Amino acid sequence: MIKGTFPVEKFETLETPFYYYDMELLRETLNTIKKETENKPFHIHYAIKANDNPRILKEIASYGFGADCVSGNEILRALECGFSAAKIAFAGVGKTDREIHIGLDNDIFCFNVESLPELEVINTLASEKGKKARVALRINPNVDAHTHKYITTGLNENKFGINEQDLPEIVNIITSSDHIEFIGIHFHIGSQITDLSAFEDLCVKALELQEWFNKQGIRLPVINVGGGLGINYHHPNHCPMADFESYFRLFGKYLKLQDDQTLHFELGRSVVAPCGSLIARTTFVKEGLQKKFLIVDAGMTDLIRPALYQAFHHIENISSNEAYTPYDVVGPICESSDVFAEGMMLNLARRGDLVAIRSAGAYGETMVSTYNCREIPAAHFSDSL
Ligand SMILES: *Cc1c(COP(=O)(O)O)cnc(C)c1O
Protein backbone atom coordinates (compact mmCIF):
# COMPACT_ATOMS: atom_id res chain seq x y z
CA MET A 1 0.00 0.00 0.00
CA ILE A 2 1.38 3.44 -0.81
CA LYS A 3 0.93 6.14 1.77
CA GLY A 4 0.67 9.90 1.57
CA THR A 5 3.74 11.95 2.40
CA PHE A 6 3.44 14.03 5.55
CA PRO A 7 6.02 16.06 7.51
CA VAL A 8 5.62 13.78 10.53
CA GLU A 9 8.52 15.31 12.46
CA LYS A 10 6.97 18.75 12.25
CA PHE A 11 3.60 17.29 13.21
CA GLU A 12 5.14 15.94 16.43
CA THR A 13 5.43 19.49 17.74
CA LEU A 14 1.79 20.39 17.04
CA GLU A 15 -1.21 19.93 19.23
CA THR A 16 -3.63 17.31 17.89
CA PRO A 17 -6.13 16.94 16.37
CA PHE A 18 -5.64 19.44 13.53
CA TYR A 19 -6.47 19.92 9.90
CA TYR A 20 -3.54 19.80 7.52
CA TYR A 21 -3.85 21.23 4.02
CA ASP A 22 -1.55 20.27 1.15
CA MET A 23 -1.43 23.63 -0.63
CA GLU A 24 0.55 22.23 -3.58
CA LEU A 25 -2.28 19.80 -4.30
CA LEU A 26 -4.84 22.59 -3.94
CA ARG A 27 -2.93 24.72 -6.47
CA GLU A 28 -2.51 21.81 -8.85
CA THR A 29 -6.27 21.25 -8.65
CA LEU A 30 -7.04 24.93 -9.24
CA ASN A 31 -4.64 25.00 -12.20
CA THR A 32 -6.35 21.96 -13.71
CA ILE A 33 -9.79 23.53 -13.36
CA LYS A 34 -8.49 26.73 -14.88
CA LYS A 35 -6.92 24.90 -17.81
CA GLU A 36 -10.12 22.89 -18.47
CA THR A 37 -12.38 25.96 -18.46
CA GLU A 38 -10.38 28.81 -19.95
CA ASN A 39 -11.17 29.78 -23.53
CA LYS A 40 -14.68 28.45 -22.96
CA PRO A 41 -17.78 30.35 -21.82
CA PHE A 42 -17.49 28.41 -18.52
CA HIS A 43 -17.51 30.13 -15.11
CA ILE A 44 -16.58 28.55 -11.79
CA HIS A 45 -18.21 29.60 -8.52
CA TYR A 46 -16.45 27.78 -5.69
CA ALA A 47 -18.99 26.55 -3.08
CA ILE A 48 -17.84 28.27 0.11
CA LYS A 49 -19.63 25.82 2.41
CA ALA A 50 -17.23 22.99 1.48
CA ASN A 51 -14.35 24.83 3.17
CA ASP A 52 -14.48 28.43 4.36
CA ASN A 53 -11.01 28.65 5.89
CA PRO A 54 -9.80 32.17 4.93
CA ARG A 55 -6.38 30.91 3.83
CA ILE A 56 -8.01 28.40 1.44
CA LEU A 57 -10.54 30.96 0.22
CA LYS A 58 -7.84 33.52 -0.57
CA GLU A 59 -5.95 30.93 -2.60
CA ILE A 60 -9.06 30.02 -4.61
CA ALA A 61 -10.07 33.66 -5.10
CA SER A 62 -6.57 34.44 -6.43
CA TYR A 63 -7.36 32.26 -9.46
CA GLY A 64 -10.19 34.59 -10.39
CA PHE A 65 -12.94 32.10 -9.63
CA GLY A 66 -16.30 33.24 -8.28
CA ALA A 67 -18.14 31.99 -5.20
CA ASP A 68 -21.33 30.10 -4.50
CA CYS A 69 -22.81 31.09 -1.15
CA VAL A 70 -25.66 29.60 0.86
CA SER A 71 -25.86 32.24 3.59
CA GLY A 72 -25.40 35.97 4.02
CA ASN A 73 -22.36 35.41 6.22
CA GLU A 74 -20.80 33.29 3.49
CA ILE A 75 -21.22 36.25 1.13
CA LEU A 76 -19.43 38.49 3.64
CA ARG A 77 -16.67 35.88 4.15
CA ALA A 78 -16.22 35.50 0.38
CA LEU A 79 -15.92 39.27 -0.07
CA GLU A 80 -13.41 39.54 2.80
CA CYS A 81 -11.28 36.84 1.21
CA GLY A 82 -11.07 38.49 -2.19
CA PHE A 83 -13.94 37.07 -4.25
CA SER A 84 -15.56 39.61 -6.52
CA ALA A 85 -19.21 40.43 -5.74
CA ALA A 86 -19.88 40.31 -9.47
CA LYS A 87 -19.09 36.58 -9.36
CA ILE A 88 -21.11 35.60 -6.27
CA ALA A 89 -24.16 33.37 -6.65
CA PHE A 90 -26.47 33.03 -3.66
CA ALA A 91 -28.59 29.89 -3.17
CA GLY A 92 -30.64 28.54 -0.27
CA VAL A 93 -34.29 27.73 0.47
CA GLY A 94 -34.57 30.02 3.47
CA LYS A 95 -32.85 33.32 2.71
CA THR A 96 -33.78 35.79 5.45
CA ASP A 97 -34.42 39.49 4.80
CA ARG A 98 -31.03 40.33 6.35
CA GLU A 99 -29.32 37.94 3.94
CA ILE A 100 -31.19 39.28 0.93
CA HIS A 101 -30.14 42.79 1.95
CA ILE A 102 -26.50 41.64 2.05
CA GLY A 103 -26.83 40.32 -1.48
CA LEU A 104 -28.56 43.45 -2.77
CA ASP A 105 -26.24 45.90 -1.01
CA ASN A 106 -23.22 44.18 -2.54
CA ASP A 107 -24.74 43.86 -6.04
CA ILE A 108 -23.95 40.16 -6.24
CA PHE A 109 -24.00 38.32 -9.56
CA CYS A 110 -27.21 36.44 -8.90
CA PHE A 111 -29.81 35.14 -6.44
CA ASN A 112 -30.63 31.51 -7.14
CA VAL A 113 -34.29 31.64 -6.17
CA GLU A 114 -35.93 28.52 -4.79
CA SER A 115 -39.61 29.49 -4.32
CA LEU A 116 -42.37 31.88 -5.29
CA PRO A 117 -42.54 33.64 -1.90
CA GLU A 118 -38.78 34.21 -2.02
CA LEU A 119 -39.11 35.81 -5.44
CA GLU A 120 -41.76 38.19 -4.13
CA VAL A 121 -39.68 39.19 -1.10
CA ILE A 122 -36.59 39.85 -3.24
CA ASN A 123 -38.66 42.01 -5.57
CA THR A 124 -40.05 44.01 -2.63
CA LEU A 125 -36.69 44.50 -0.90
CA ALA A 126 -35.01 45.44 -4.19
CA SER A 127 -37.74 47.97 -4.94
CA GLU A 128 -37.22 49.63 -1.52
CA LYS A 129 -33.60 50.18 -2.53
CA GLY A 130 -34.45 51.22 -6.08
CA LYS A 131 -32.41 48.28 -7.34
CA LYS A 132 -32.91 45.41 -9.74
CA ALA A 133 -31.95 41.96 -8.43
CA ARG A 134 -30.47 39.51 -10.90
CA VAL A 135 -32.28 36.22 -10.45
CA ALA A 136 -31.89 32.68 -11.70
CA LEU A 137 -34.51 30.08 -10.90
CA ARG A 138 -33.29 27.01 -9.09
CA ILE A 139 -35.29 24.29 -10.73
CA ASN A 140 -35.70 20.85 -9.24
CA PRO A 141 -35.06 18.67 -12.31
CA ASN A 142 -36.10 15.38 -10.66
CA VAL A 143 -32.79 13.81 -11.71
CA ASP A 144 -31.37 11.06 -9.51
CA ALA A 145 -27.76 11.74 -8.55
CA HIS A 146 -27.21 8.12 -7.34
CA THR A 147 -25.52 9.26 -4.16
CA HIS A 148 -26.30 9.08 -0.42
CA LYS A 149 -29.86 10.19 0.32
CA TYR A 150 -28.68 12.96 2.67
CA ILE A 151 -26.72 14.55 -0.18
CA THR A 152 -29.33 14.06 -2.90
CA THR A 153 -31.02 17.37 -3.62
CA GLY A 154 -32.62 17.21 -7.07
CA LEU A 155 -35.54 14.83 -6.58
CA ASN A 156 -39.19 15.86 -6.22
CA GLU A 157 -39.16 14.70 -2.59
CA ASN A 158 -36.33 17.15 -1.69
CA LYS A 159 -36.94 20.60 -0.23
CA PHE A 160 -34.74 22.36 -2.79
CA GLY A 161 -35.71 24.24 -5.91
CA ILE A 162 -38.85 25.03 -7.85
CA ASN A 163 -40.92 22.24 -9.37
CA GLU A 164 -41.52 22.31 -13.08
CA GLN A 165 -45.30 22.55 -12.79
CA ASP A 166 -44.96 25.87 -10.93
CA LEU A 167 -42.87 27.46 -13.69
CA PRO A 168 -45.69 29.09 -15.71
CA GLU A 169 -46.93 30.96 -12.64
CA ILE A 170 -43.43 31.98 -11.62
CA VAL A 171 -42.61 33.23 -15.10
CA ASN A 172 -45.77 35.38 -15.05
CA ILE A 173 -44.65 36.92 -11.79
CA ILE A 174 -41.10 37.48 -12.99
CA THR A 175 -42.24 39.31 -16.10
CA SER A 176 -44.41 41.61 -14.01
CA SER A 177 -41.77 42.25 -11.32
CA ASP A 178 -40.01 45.53 -12.04
CA HIS A 179 -37.13 44.87 -9.67
CA ILE A 180 -36.18 41.42 -10.93
CA GLU A 181 -33.87 40.83 -13.84
CA PHE A 182 -34.28 37.23 -14.89
CA ILE A 183 -30.95 35.81 -16.10
CA GLY A 184 -31.37 32.06 -16.29
CA ILE A 185 -31.78 28.68 -14.69
CA HIS A 186 -29.92 26.90 -11.93
CA PHE A 187 -29.70 23.31 -10.74
CA HIS A 188 -27.85 21.43 -8.04
CA ILE A 189 -28.75 17.75 -7.96
CA GLY A 190 -26.53 16.50 -5.14
CA SER A 191 -23.01 15.88 -3.99
CA GLN A 192 -20.28 13.21 -4.29
CA ILE A 193 -21.59 12.20 -7.71
CA THR A 194 -19.21 9.70 -9.29
CA ASP A 195 -21.54 8.28 -11.92
CA LEU A 196 -21.25 11.05 -14.50
CA SER A 197 -24.38 9.83 -16.33
CA ALA A 198 -26.38 11.79 -13.74
CA PHE A 199 -24.89 14.95 -15.28
CA GLU A 200 -25.89 13.74 -18.76
CA ASP A 201 -29.47 13.41 -17.50
CA LEU A 202 -29.18 16.93 -16.10
CA CYS A 203 -28.03 18.30 -19.48
CA VAL A 204 -31.00 16.69 -21.25
CA LYS A 205 -33.34 18.25 -18.69
CA ALA A 206 -31.66 21.66 -18.98
CA LEU A 207 -32.08 21.64 -22.76
CA GLU A 208 -35.76 20.68 -22.44
CA LEU A 209 -36.34 23.54 -20.03
CA GLN A 210 -34.43 25.94 -22.23
CA GLU A 211 -36.72 25.04 -25.11
CA TRP A 212 -39.76 25.71 -22.91
CA PHE A 213 -38.42 29.13 -21.87
CA ASN A 214 -37.53 30.02 -25.46
CA LYS A 215 -41.10 29.14 -26.49
CA GLN A 216 -42.35 31.70 -23.97
CA GLY A 217 -40.06 34.19 -25.69
CA ILE A 218 -37.58 34.18 -22.79
CA ARG A 219 -33.85 33.87 -23.38
CA LEU A 220 -31.54 32.30 -20.83
CA PRO A 221 -28.16 34.06 -20.75
CA VAL A 222 -27.07 31.85 -17.83
CA ILE A 223 -27.25 28.12 -17.29
CA ASN A 224 -25.89 27.08 -13.91
CA VAL A 225 -25.47 23.34 -13.38
CA GLY A 226 -24.41 23.57 -9.73
CA GLY A 227 -21.79 21.33 -8.18
CA GLY A 228 -21.63 17.74 -7.08
CA LEU A 229 -18.59 16.25 -8.82
CA GLY A 230 -17.31 13.45 -6.58
CA ILE A 231 -13.81 12.40 -5.59
CA ASN A 232 -12.22 9.01 -4.92
CA TYR A 233 -12.28 8.65 -1.12
CA HIS A 234 -10.90 5.09 -1.30
CA HIS A 235 -7.67 5.84 -3.15
CA PRO A 236 -6.44 9.33 -2.23
CA ASN A 237 -2.85 8.47 -3.22
CA HIS A 238 -3.64 6.95 -6.64
CA CYS A 239 -6.43 9.39 -7.51
CA PRO A 240 -5.67 12.69 -5.81
CA MET A 241 -7.85 14.70 -8.18
CA ALA A 242 -11.42 14.48 -9.44
CA ASP A 243 -11.86 13.73 -13.12
CA PHE A 244 -12.33 17.36 -14.19
CA GLU A 245 -11.47 16.62 -17.79
CA SER A 246 -14.34 14.14 -18.30
CA TYR A 247 -16.67 16.33 -16.28
CA PHE A 248 -16.18 19.51 -18.31
CA ARG A 249 -16.01 17.58 -21.59
CA LEU A 250 -19.42 16.05 -20.82
CA PHE A 251 -21.06 19.45 -20.43
CA GLY A 252 -19.35 20.73 -23.57
CA LYS A 253 -20.70 17.76 -25.47
CA TYR A 254 -24.27 17.58 -24.14
CA LEU A 255 -25.09 21.23 -23.51
CA LYS A 256 -24.68 23.04 -26.79
CA LEU A 257 -24.67 26.65 -25.68
CA GLN A 258 -26.47 29.36 -27.61
CA ASP A 259 -24.65 32.55 -28.60
CA ASP A 260 -23.78 34.75 -25.61
CA GLN A 261 -24.81 32.05 -23.19
CA THR A 262 -22.52 31.21 -20.26
CA LEU A 263 -22.34 27.95 -18.37
CA HIS A 264 -21.75 28.15 -14.63
CA PHE A 265 -20.44 25.51 -12.23
CA GLU A 266 -20.51 25.52 -8.43
CA LEU A 267 -17.84 23.04 -7.44
CA GLY A 268 -17.09 22.57 -3.76
CA ARG A 269 -15.96 19.13 -2.69
CA SER A 270 -13.92 18.33 -5.80
CA VAL A 271 -11.88 21.51 -5.30
CA VAL A 272 -10.92 21.11 -1.66
CA ALA A 273 -11.62 17.57 -0.37
CA PRO A 274 -8.38 15.87 -1.50
CA CYS A 275 -6.00 18.51 -0.14
CA GLY A 276 -7.15 18.21 3.49
CA SER A 277 -6.37 15.59 6.12
CA LEU A 278 -7.44 15.43 9.74
CA ILE A 279 -4.38 14.50 11.80
CA ALA A 280 -5.07 12.79 15.13
CA ARG A 281 -3.03 11.05 17.78
CA THR A 282 -3.67 7.56 19.11
CA THR A 283 -4.79 7.81 22.69
CA PHE A 284 -5.19 4.10 23.33
CA VAL A 285 -5.10 0.83 21.46
CA LYS A 286 -7.87 -1.24 22.98
CA GLU A 287 -8.22 -4.97 22.42
CA GLY A 288 -11.94 -5.71 22.16
CA LEU A 289 -13.40 -9.22 22.26
CA GLN A 290 -13.58 -9.44 18.46
CA LYS A 291 -11.86 -6.29 17.30
CA LYS A 292 -8.97 -4.00 17.89
CA PHE A 293 -10.00 -0.41 18.53
CA LEU A 294 -7.72 2.46 17.72
CA ILE A 295 -9.00 5.29 19.90
CA VAL A 296 -7.84 8.65 18.57
CA ASP A 297 -8.10 12.17 19.95
CA ALA A 298 -10.23 13.40 17.02
CA GLY A 299 -13.92 12.70 17.00
CA MET A 300 -17.14 13.31 15.11
CA THR A 301 -17.02 16.89 16.37
CA ASP A 302 -13.92 17.42 14.20
CA LEU A 303 -15.11 15.44 11.17
CA ILE A 304 -18.77 14.47 11.13
CA ARG A 305 -19.04 12.96 7.64
CA PRO A 306 -18.75 9.29 8.71
CA ALA A 307 -21.40 9.76 11.43
CA LEU A 308 -23.69 11.94 9.31
CA TYR A 309 -23.49 10.33 5.86
CA GLN A 310 -21.89 6.95 6.58
CA ALA A 311 -19.03 8.38 4.55
CA PHE A 312 -15.79 6.51 3.95
CA HIS A 313 -12.42 8.14 4.65
CA HIS A 314 -9.14 6.35 4.00
CA ILE A 315 -6.91 6.38 7.10
CA GLU A 316 -3.16 5.89 7.45
CA ASN A 317 -0.92 5.38 10.47
CA ILE A 318 1.82 7.85 9.55
CA SER A 319 4.04 6.99 12.54
CA SER A 320 4.51 3.28 11.82
CA ASN A 321 5.73 0.99 9.03
CA GLU A 322 4.98 -2.25 10.82
CA ALA A 323 2.66 -4.98 9.52
CA TYR A 324 -0.85 -4.05 8.41
CA THR A 325 -3.53 -4.95 10.93
CA PRO A 326 -7.30 -4.25 10.88
CA TYR A 327 -8.56 -1.64 13.33
CA ASP A 328 -11.81 0.10 14.10
CA VAL A 329 -10.79 3.72 14.33
CA VAL A 330 -12.97 5.56 16.82
CA GLY A 331 -13.15 8.92 18.56
CA PRO A 332 -13.73 9.80 22.22
CA ILE A 333 -17.22 11.31 21.88
CA CYS A 334 -20.12 9.79 23.79
CA GLU A 335 -22.03 8.64 20.69
CA SER A 336 -21.98 5.20 19.10
CA SER A 337 -21.77 6.84 15.69
CA ASP A 338 -18.40 8.36 16.62
CA VAL A 339 -16.57 5.87 14.40
CA PHE A 340 -14.22 6.92 11.60
CA ALA A 341 -13.74 3.47 10.08
CA GLU A 342 -14.29 -0.21 10.71
CA GLY A 343 -11.71 -2.83 9.81
CA MET A 344 -9.28 -0.25 8.39
CA MET A 345 -5.90 -1.79 7.53
CA LEU A 346 -3.29 0.25 9.40
CA ASN A 347 0.35 -0.29 10.22
CA LEU A 348 0.56 -1.82 13.68
CA ALA A 349 -0.24 1.00 16.07
CA ARG A 350 0.93 2.11 19.47
CA ARG A 351 -0.26 4.78 21.87
CA GLY A 352 0.99 8.14 20.56
CA ASP A 353 1.04 7.21 16.85
CA LEU A 354 -0.27 9.84 14.47
CA VAL A 355 -2.99 8.93 12.00
CA ALA A 356 -4.07 10.86 8.90
CA ILE A 357 -7.75 10.75 8.05
CA ARG A 358 -7.57 11.55 4.37
CA SER A 359 -9.72 13.55 1.93
CA ALA A 360 -11.12 15.67 4.74
CA GLY A 361 -10.75 19.07 3.07
CA ALA A 362 -14.45 19.38 2.21
CA TYR A 363 -17.29 19.43 4.75
CA GLY A 364 -14.72 18.76 7.46
CA GLU A 365 -13.52 21.95 9.12
CA THR A 366 -16.76 23.74 8.16
CA MET A 367 -18.85 21.25 10.13
CA VAL A 368 -16.80 21.27 13.34
CA SER A 369 -18.81 21.52 16.57
CA THR A 370 -17.95 21.92 20.24
CA TYR A 371 -20.21 19.09 21.48
CA ASN A 372 -18.73 17.62 24.71
CA CYS A 373 -17.03 21.02 25.27
CA ARG A 374 -14.48 20.07 22.62
CA GLU A 375 -11.82 22.44 21.31
CA ILE A 376 -11.99 23.67 17.72
CA PRO A 377 -9.14 21.95 15.84
CA ALA A 378 -6.40 24.18 14.41
CA ALA A 379 -5.56 24.34 10.70
CA HIS A 380 -1.99 24.07 9.37
CA PHE A 381 -0.80 24.51 5.82
CA SER A 382 1.99 22.69 3.97
CA ASP A 383 3.59 25.93 2.77
CA SER A 384 3.72 27.63 6.18
CA LEU A 385 4.48 24.93 8.75
C1 LIG B 1 -23.33 22.51 -1.66
C2 LIG B 1 -23.65 23.15 -2.94
C3 LIG B 1 -22.75 23.11 -4.01
C4 LIG B 1 -21.44 22.36 -3.94
O1 LIG B 1 -21.59 20.98 -4.00
P1 LIG B 1 -20.32 20.01 -4.07
O2 LIG B 1 -20.91 18.66 -4.06
O3 LIG B 1 -19.49 20.28 -2.87
O4 LIG B 1 -19.59 20.30 -5.35
C5 LIG B 1 -23.09 23.78 -5.15
N1 LIG B 1 -24.25 24.47 -5.27
C6 LIG B 1 -25.14 24.52 -4.26
C7 LIG B 1 -26.39 25.28 -4.44
C8 LIG B 1 -24.88 23.87 -3.07
O5 LIG B 1 -25.76 23.92 -2.07
Side-chain angles (χ1 to χ4, degrees):
M1 270 186 257
I2 62 164
K3 281 160 76 175
T5 44
F6 292 95
V8 180
E9 271 172 33
K10 282 184 181 159
F11 285 180
E12 288 296 344
T13 63
L14 303 171
E15 200 168 317
T16 51
F18 60 87
Y19 274 93
Y20 175 72
Y21 294 105
D22 178 344
M23 297 305 277
E24 288 71 32
L25 178 57
L26 176 61
R27 284 183 206 118
E28 212 180 302
T29 305
L30 294 168
N31 279 323
T32 302
I33 296 171
K34 191 159 186 172
K35 190 177 99 232
E36 295 295 337
T37 55
E38 66 194 356
N39 307 320
K40 296 194 181 87
F42 288 6
H43 296 262
I44 304 293
H45 304 265
Y46 164 68
I48 303 285
K49 76 175 186 292
N51 189 312
D52 62 14
N53 186 299
R55 177 81 173 69
I56 301 274
L57 293 188
K58 283 175 191 162
E59 192 68 44
I60 298 171
S62 77
Y63 282 71
F65 297 136
D68 165 54
C69 300
V70 293
S71 77
N73 286 351
E74 280 193 359
I75 296 177
L76 298 176
R77 172 76 62 93
L79 292 170
E80 274 163 30
C81 292
F83 288 93
S84 150
K87 294 182 182 175
I88 291 180
F90 182 18
V93 291
K95 300 178 188 76
T96 63
D97 290 13
R98 171 185 168 266
E99 295 178 310
I100 293 169
H101 282 301
I102 291 173
L104 290 170
D105 291 343
N106 288 290
D107 294 316
I108 60 168
F109 166 62
C110 170
F111 291 85
N112 291 327
V113 167
E114 308 213 12
S115 67
L116 184 55
E118 180 190 336
L119 187 66
E120 290 169 339
V121 170
I122 292 177
N123 186 53
T124 306
L125 297 184
S127 98
E128 286 167 16
K129 292 180 197 284
K131 289 198 171 189
K132 232 174 169 169
R134 276 174 297 280
V135 159
L137 293 178
R138 176 169 180 175
I139 297 170
N140 184 338
N142 199 27
V143 166
D144 193 345
H146 305 291
T147 185
H148 191 273
K149 70 177 193 301
Y150 286 0
I151 48 176
T152 291
T153 53
L155 289 175
N156 284 342
E157 68 205 52
N158 299 123
K159 70 179 176 182
F160 300 100
I162 292 165
N163 293 317
E164 255 183 278
Q165 56 269 31
D166 296 333
L167 280 180
E169 187 189 357
I170 297 233
V171 164
N172 274 337
I173 294 186
I174 282 180
T175 40
S176 61
S177 298
D178 293 337
H179 297 274
I180 299 286
E181 179 189 346
F182 179 61
I183 64 166
I185 52 179
H186 170 244
F187 310 93
H188 175 63
I189 58 173
S191 199
Q192 185 50 19
I193 297 169
T194 50
D195 173 0
L196 294 187
S197 70
F199 293 118
E200 282 178 36
D201 295 347
L202 176 61
C203 290
V204 169
K205 199 76 212 185
L207 289 176
E208 262 174 47
L209 283 161
Q210 163 160 284
E211 206 176 297
W212 183 84
F213 276 96
N214 290 168
K215 274 202 188 117
Q216 321 294 307
I218 300 171
R219 285 197 57 255
L220 302 174
V222 166
I223 296 183
N224 183 337
V225 291
L229 177 61
I231 64 144
N232 188 330
Y233 280 97
H234 283 84
H235 299 106
N237 299 311
H238 289 102
C239 308
M241 221 187 282
D243 188 359
F244 292 109
E245 192 193 335
S246 303
Y247 174 76
F248 289 116
R249 190 172 353 102
L250 182 152
F251 284 97
K253 178 172 169 200
Y254 288 94
L255 259 188
K256 288 272 166 273
L257 295 179
Q258 299 174 342
D259 289 345
D260 301 330
Q261 216 169 27
T262 52
L263 185 56
H264 296 247
F265 300 88
E266 299 171 337
L267 296 173
R269 183 191 310 274
S270 52
V271 181
V272 290
C275 75
S277 293
L278 178 61
I279 309 295
R281 198 178 283 284
T282 305
T283 311
F284 300 114
V285 180
K286 176 171 159 177
E287 302 278 346
L289 289 178
Q290 283 136 19
K291 297 172 149 188
K292 267 183 199 280
F293 293 101
L294 191 80
I295 305 171
V296 297
D297 61 2
M300 62 191 285
T301 52
D302 306 297
L303 177 65
I304 201 176
R305 299 191 64 258
L308 187 61
Y309 312 124
Q310 298 157 318
F312 178 89
H313 284 269
H314 179 68
I315 304 178
E316 294 169 0
N317 181 346
I318 57 176
S319 299
S320 164
N321 279 318
E322 292 180 52
Y324 279 94
T325 313
Y327 291 96
D328 280 19
V329 182
V330 304
I333 312 295
C334 298
E335 295 290 337
S336 300
S337 59
D338 186 29
V339 174
F340 287 116
E342 288 179 82
M344 180 68 61
M345 295 304 285
L346 296 178
N347 298 102
L348 192 71
R350 295 193 167 75
R351 171 172 163 80
D353 281 0
L354 292 171
V355 299
I357 304 174
R358 305 291 306 276
S359 318
Y363 308 105
E365 212 187 337
T366 44
M367 289 195 178
V368 164
S369 82
T370 57
Y371 179 48
N372 288 191
C373 284
R374 300 264 303 166
E375 304 280 336
I376 303 274
H380 299 289
F381 304 89
S382 60
D383 58 357
S384 58
L385 258 191

